[in-house]
Amino acid sequence: MVMTTDNVHGLILALTSSVFIGSSFIIKKKGLKNAGSTGTRAGSGGYSYLYEPWWWAGMITMIVGEVANFAAYAYAPAILVTPLGALSIIFSAVLAHFILEEKLHCFGVLGCILCVVGSTTIVLHAPREKDIESVKQVWRLATQPGFIVYTCLILIVVLILIFLCVPRYGHSHMIVYIGICSLMGSLTVMSVKAVGIALKLTFSGMNQFIYFQTWIFTVIVIIFSLTQINYLNKALDTFNTAVVSPVYYVMFTSFTIFASMIMFKDWASQNGSQIVTELCGFVTILSGTFLLHKTNGTGNVSPNDASVLSTSISSSPNPRVNPSDSC
């Protein structure tokens, strides 16, 4: 990939975003734990964390990161920006180790490595994104039959997860909360790209906010983002942060790249070897996700988290690591 000036700007913004977002996971988790000790936990439907200063500090940190990420999409293609979220995994895991005393089993570490390697493989062999010069152009791409079908399928699955799966499996299967965030996230990024382009063109003298399409994309970004924050809070409050972050990254990145390929028809410019390489990258990501799920909660946990983790791991009655199993 040729690094143009815009791509460099997007890369710097994406790296900054990863640092802030990675930190926000830990700060918000600390606030959620404090709130859970004095009121109803977020994972149980409570909102006492809204009165916790640490949670708001984490929200501010996340907002700064999301703003940087938002700006990055205006300068660089999604295929470059999205996978850089891997850095937030590493940053979040390191902070969780020292601040929250959450540790990953050695196979969990291997899972993280596989996720990053798989995502990097996809990025290195992914096609370049089409040049987008107006919001109307994005709207035409978003209203193509293929992307409309994808959007409808995503919304149907999300509604099923929210109304059927969350009440039954939300506390025992992390994939429910993360799935909602990731599926909606793929559509959010496409809208963020449109709004980012609108702002960029508006600042350059071509007002894009006179078009109704810009406002539709803006409303989608707001509604979907608030929904993602709600279910991400539930995931962070119920499961180990060091596991939530990588799994969220893997699923979010995979669905976003897939949505981008459908919307912008990136696959049309690829040859057989590139497609096979990308498929290998996806298999690597899936392998990493499997390892992360198998090690969910096997790291050392605090006594306050033990009761939560014991109900969240269906495959093991004991969330703690046995000495014989550790590396």
Side-chain angles (χ1 to χ4, degrees):
M1 180 185 294
V2 178
M3 294 297 290
T4 63
T5 302
D6 280 351
N7 277 359
V8 172
H9 290 160
L11 177 62
I12 294 173
L13 288 167
L15 292 175
T16 302
S17 171
S18 294
V19 173
F20 277 94
I21 292 177
S23 302
S24 73
F25 275 107
I26 307 306
I27 300 173
K28 287 175 63 180
K29 180 62 179 284
K30 185 175 179 63
L32 290 169
K33 291 177 70 175
N34 291 344
S37 63
T38 58
T40 305
R41 302 177 66 97
S44 300
Y47 295 94
S48 58
Y49 59 83
L50 294 175
Y51 301 96
E52 177 56 46
W54 277 105
W55 185 84
W56 283 108
M59 273 301 302
I60 293 173
T61 304
M62 174 170 279
I63 290 173
V64 173
E66 292 296 348
V67 169
N69 195 50
F70 186 96
Y73 281 110
Y75 287 96
I79 207 73
L80 170 64
V81 176
T82 306
L84 289 178
L87 296 178
S88 68
I89 295 176
I90 300 172
F91 202 73
S92 179
V94 171
L95 289 180
H97 175 82
F98 291 104
I99 297 177
L100 301 179
E101 297 183 356
E102 295 181 354
K103 296 178 175 61
L104 274 175
H105 189 273
C106 60
F107 289 110
V109 176
L110 178 59
C112 289
I113 295 173
L114 287 174
C115 291
V116 174
V117 170
S119 298
T120 303
T121 301
I122 293 174
V123 173
L124 293 177
H125 296 84
R128 298 186 62 180
E129 189 181 47
K130 292 182 179 179
D131 293 328
I132 305 298
E133 300 178 352
S134 71
V135 171
K136 287 187 175 181
Q137 185 177 352
V138 180
W139 181 261
R140 286 194 294 270
L141 294 172
T143 53
Q144 295 175 109
F147 192 73
I148 289 178
V149 170
Y150 173 80
T151 301
C152 291
L153 289 175
I154 292 297
L155 293 177
I156 291 172
V157 173
V158 167
L159 291 175
I160 291 175
L161 288 174
I162 291 176
F163 293 106
L164 296 181
C165 297
V166 167
R168 298 180 181 180
Y169 310 111
H171 292 284
S172 59
H173 294 76
M174 178 178 58
I175 200 70
V176 175
Y177 292 143
I178 300 302
I180 294 172
C181 295
S182 302
L183 290 169
M184 297 189 73
S186 67
L187 299 179
T188 304
V189 168
M190 300 301 106
S191 297
V192 164
K193 181 74 177 177
V195 177
I197 290 173
L199 288 171
K200 181 181 177 182
L201 293 175
T202 298
F203 290 145
S204 66
M206 296 177 287
N207 187 6
Q208 298 294 302
F209 287 87
I210 60 176
Y211 305 120
F212 74 91
Q213 292 94 334
T214 302
W215 294 105
I216 291 178
F217 285 125
T218 301
V219 170
I220 292 174
V221 170
I222 295 173
I223 295 176
F224 281 23
S225 295
L226 290 175
T227 304
Q228 288 174 246
I229 290 173
N230 180 47
Y231 287 100
L232 182 58
N233 281 334
K234 294 179 183 294
L236 288 172
D237 190 51
T238 307
F239 303 97
N240 192 312
T241 307
V243 180
V244 170
S245 299
V247 174
Y248 179 45
Y249 160 74
V250 170
M251 293 186 64
F252 174 77
T253 302
S254 299
F255 282 114
T256 298
I257 291 177
F258 186 60
S260 181
M261 291 179 67
I262 294 176
M263 186 168 174
F264 299 108
K265 290 184 171 58
D266 296 325
W267 50 267
S269 61
Q270 291 187 293
N271 55 41
S273 62
Q274 289 176 313
I275 295 175
V276 170
T277 303
E278 288 187 12
L279 290 176
C280 290
F282 273 111
V283 171
T284 305
I285 291 175
L286 292 175
S287 300
T289 304
F290 173 77
L291 287 177
L292 287 169
H293 274 293
K294 295 298 290 184
T295 57
N296 183 5
T298 58
N300 297 330
V301 296
S302 63
N304 292 333
D305 290 339
S307 60
V308 175
L309 289 174
S310 64
T311 60
S312 66
I313 304 171
S314 58
S315 60
S316 174
N318 184 6
R320 297 182 182 274
V321 179
N322 294 323
S324 60
D325 294 334
S326 62
C327 293

